[in-house]
């Protein structure tokens, strides 16, 4: 006599329990039998009207199945388990169960610079700004990969708990293809905070353009692929509002923008901005703190002669802007990611985290944790 057949629940044990919700990444995922052997186990994740098999393996004794990487099961997903087993008497049993993984209350994402499919200058730094503080930097950093063709050594550097930048030791070579892979989905960055992104960004490095601003000589030498294109007159920061020294990278470009001193701390006794220019032409952002290289039509005699700005670099322009002016000429030949270096200003060197200014940090220091 074979005895009374077991129920599917007794013949095949499944963890988590059927219908379980909120299954955490560290919880046990397992299918087992008390005797006999498992004939087949199929665990499937359903998402976006598609099905994805969960890789797993039945032990040599045939009695237990486990996923190859249990911690890799995506969160906020529903899974189905279908198992078939033969008991010690050769009777076949089948069992179907479902469970749902933990749905985090909080998610984090990283905002990537530069934009996907952009063509940039050779000074571009890959920068990720996270919307939440990252306490497990190592886990997040492991989930981000920046590669290039041709290949170069690319290193990460943290600036505080919400920003992670990547760059090579030297400027990118023109023509380099760079790929940023974010495998952040379900990565735990802080207690209860999990990543959302699983995507890639790519960009191409265009020609090399590096411009040297000499604040004392009131000039800017523009070099393209090592050759001098032109030397144009500039005005830099006045003696009391000097321009930062150091290498800065073009981060944004505006045909026209408004500049109000109050937004960057330049106010009069009444709290109003020391300046408020509603139509600044050919504005190129160099730092987060407000350093721009822009057209200047209100001080036409300053470029080439004297420094009068509040820390920006000004080029001759006309009201409304014109491609025929030095400012328009430079704007039309500039890419996001181009480098502008300032020398001979009576100021400190720009901080590496002020905009994309990481080139001002020595490579050995950049490769430290930050």
């Amino acid at each position: 006599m074979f005895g009374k057949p077991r129920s599917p629940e007794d013949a095949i044990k499944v963890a988590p329990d059927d219908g379980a919700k909120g299954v955490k990444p560290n919880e046990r995922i397992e299918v087992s039998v008390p005797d006999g052997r498992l004939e087949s186990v199929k665990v499937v994740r359903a998402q976006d009207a598609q099905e994805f098999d969960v890789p797993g393996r039945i032990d040599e004794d045939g009695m237990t199945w486990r996923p190859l990487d249990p911690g890799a099961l995506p969160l906020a997903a529903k899974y189905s388990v279908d198992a078939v087993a033969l008991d010690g008497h050769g009777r076949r049993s089948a069992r179907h169960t479902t469970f749902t993984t933990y749905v985090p209350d909080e998610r984090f994402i990283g905002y990537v610079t530069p934009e996907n499919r952009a063509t940039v200058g050779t000074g571009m730094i890959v920068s990720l700004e996270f919307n939440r503080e990252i306490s497990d930097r190592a886990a997040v950093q492991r989930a981000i990969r920046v590669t290039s063709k041709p290949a170069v050594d690319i290193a990460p550097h943290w600036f505080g708990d919400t920003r992670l930048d990547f760059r090579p030791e030297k400027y990118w070579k023109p023509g380099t293809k760079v790929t940023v892979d974010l495998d952040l989905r379900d990565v735990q960055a802080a207690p209860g905070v999990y990543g959302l992104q699983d995507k890639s960004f790519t960009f191409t490095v265009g020609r090399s353009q590096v411009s040297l601003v000499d604040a004392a000589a009131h000039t800017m030498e523009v070099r393209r692929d090592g050759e001098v294109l032109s030397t144009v007159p500039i005005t830099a920061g006045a003696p009391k509002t000097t321009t930062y020294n150091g290498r800065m990278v073009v981060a944004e470009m505006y045909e026209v923008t408004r500049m109000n001193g109050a937004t960057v701390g330049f106010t009069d006794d009444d709290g109003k901005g020391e300046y408020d220019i509603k139509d600044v032409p050919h504005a190129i952002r160099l730092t987060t703190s407000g350093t721009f290289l822009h057209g200047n039509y209100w001080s036409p005699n300053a470029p080439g002669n004297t420094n009068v700005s509040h820390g920006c670099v000004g080029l001759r322009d006309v009201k409304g802007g014109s491609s025929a002016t030095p400012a328009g000429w430079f704007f039309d030949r500039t890419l996001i990611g181009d480098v502008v270096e300032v020398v001979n200003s009576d100021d400190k060197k720009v901080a590496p985290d002020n905009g994309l200014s990481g080139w001002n940090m020595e490579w050995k220091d950049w490769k430290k944790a930050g």
Side-chain angles (χ1 to χ4, degrees):
M1 295 292 291
F2 291 149
K4 184 179 179 180
R6 293 191 183 102
S7 67
E9 291 81 2
D10 292 331
I12 303 174
K13 303 292 186 181
V14 178
D17 293 336
D18 187 20
K21 296 181 179 179
V23 175
K24 297 289 184 66
N26 59 350
E27 288 191 36
R28 182 169 60 99
I29 312 293
E30 184 179 282
V31 180
S32 63
V33 292
D35 55 45
R37 64 182 177 84
L38 289 166
E39 195 171 61
S40 66
V41 176
K42 187 176 180 65
V43 180
V44 173
R45 170 171 60 96
Q47 181 177 322
D48 301 329
Q50 299 184 68
E51 292 187 344
F52 303 88
D53 289 346
V54 175
R57 181 173 51 231
I58 298 174
D59 289 349
E60 288 185 6
D61 62 10
M63 299 183 69
T64 307
W65 177 97
R66 298 181 183 89
L68 295 180
D69 187 359
L73 267 62
L75 302 180
K78 186 174 183 179
Y79 294 82
S80 63
V81 180
D82 287 283
V84 178
L86 294 174
D87 68 13
H89 301 289
R91 293 175 298 209
R92 181 175 280 106
S93 297
R95 190 174 182 201
H96 172 82
T97 66
T98 64
F99 67 90
T100 303
T101 49
Y102 173 65
V103 180
D105 292 329
E106 296 186 86
R107 292 284 200 173
F108 79 92
I109 62 173
Y111 299 99
V112 180
T113 298
E115 293 183 354
N116 190 29
R117 299 181 181 177
T119 297
V120 302
T122 53
M124 175 53 65
I125 289 176
V126 176
S127 184
L128 288 95
E129 190 73 36
F130 299 104
N131 66 326
R132 297 186 183 278
E133 290 189 359
I134 307 299
S135 60
D136 193 342
R137 293 183 181 180
V140 171
Q141 188 173 308
R142 283 195 301 269
I144 300 170
R145 188 165 176 256
V146 182
T147 56
S148 67
K149 293 183 179 179
V152 293
D153 184 16
I154 302 168
H157 187 88
W158 286 90
F159 292 109
D161 295 328
T162 60
R163 178 174 167 183
L164 176 62
D165 286 8
F166 292 80
R167 72 167 176 89
E169 181 176 6
K170 300 177 181 179
Y171 299 147
W172 306 99
K173 291 183 179 180
T176 298
K177 307 286 186 181
V178 182
T179 300
V180 183
D181 290 310
L182 304 184
D183 191 17
L184 292 170
R185 182 177 173 84
D186 302 337
V187 172
Q188 185 170 235
V193 180
Y194 294 84
L196 191 62
Q197 293 160 298
D198 183 7
K199 61 197 307 183
S200 293
F201 295 81
T202 61
F203 63 90
T204 302
V205 179
R207 79 293 176 277
S208 168
Q209 182 167 296
V210 178
S211 301
L212 183 67
V213 173
D214 189 326
H218 316 298
T219 60
M220 180 174 71
E221 180 187 81
V222 183
R223 285 184 174 267
R224 173 77 62 83
D225 296 322
E227 300 294 326
V228 177
L229 284 185
S230 183
T231 300
V232 297
I234 62 96
T235 179
K240 292 184 178 180
T241 53
T242 48
T243 304
Y244 289 125
N245 286 293
R247 292 182 284 178
M248 293 166 260
V249 173
V250 173
E252 296 174 320
M253 298 175 64
Y254 304 97
E255 293 278 356
V256 61
T257 192
R258 178 177 182 176
M259 291 187 177
N260 187 320
T263 64
V264 288
F266 292 115
T267 57
D268 57 22
D269 293 339
D270 297 326
K272 296 181 180 179
E274 293 183 4
Y275 56 88
D276 186 4
I277 306 171
K278 297 178 175 61
D279 59 349
V280 178
H282 298 127
I284 298 170
R285 179 182 288 277
L286 300 179
T287 70
T288 306
S289 63
T291 308
F292 277 78
L293 190 155
H294 59 75
N296 181 320
Y297 65 80
W298 51 91
S299 302
N301 296 320
N305 297 304
T306 186
N307 293 329
V308 299
S309 83
H310 283 75
C312 291
V313 177
L315 281 68
R316 288 197 186 107
D317 211 334
V318 295
K319 191 175 179 64
S322 168
S323 294
T325 64
W329 175 88
F330 184 72
F331 189 91
D332 290 345
R333 288 161 179 79
T334 296
L335 291 174
I336 300 293
D338 282 347
V339 179
V340 176
E341 182 175 4
V342 177
V343 297
N344 296 327
S345 177
D346 189 18
D347 204 328
K348 62 185 178 182
K349 183 179 291 187
V350 64
D353 62 343
N354 191 353
L356 303 176
S357 302
W359 300 107
N360 295 288
M361 183 181 290
E362 294 292 334
W363 183 238
K364 60 181 177 60
D365 296 323
W366 179 269
K367 294 202 293 185
K368 294 178 183 178

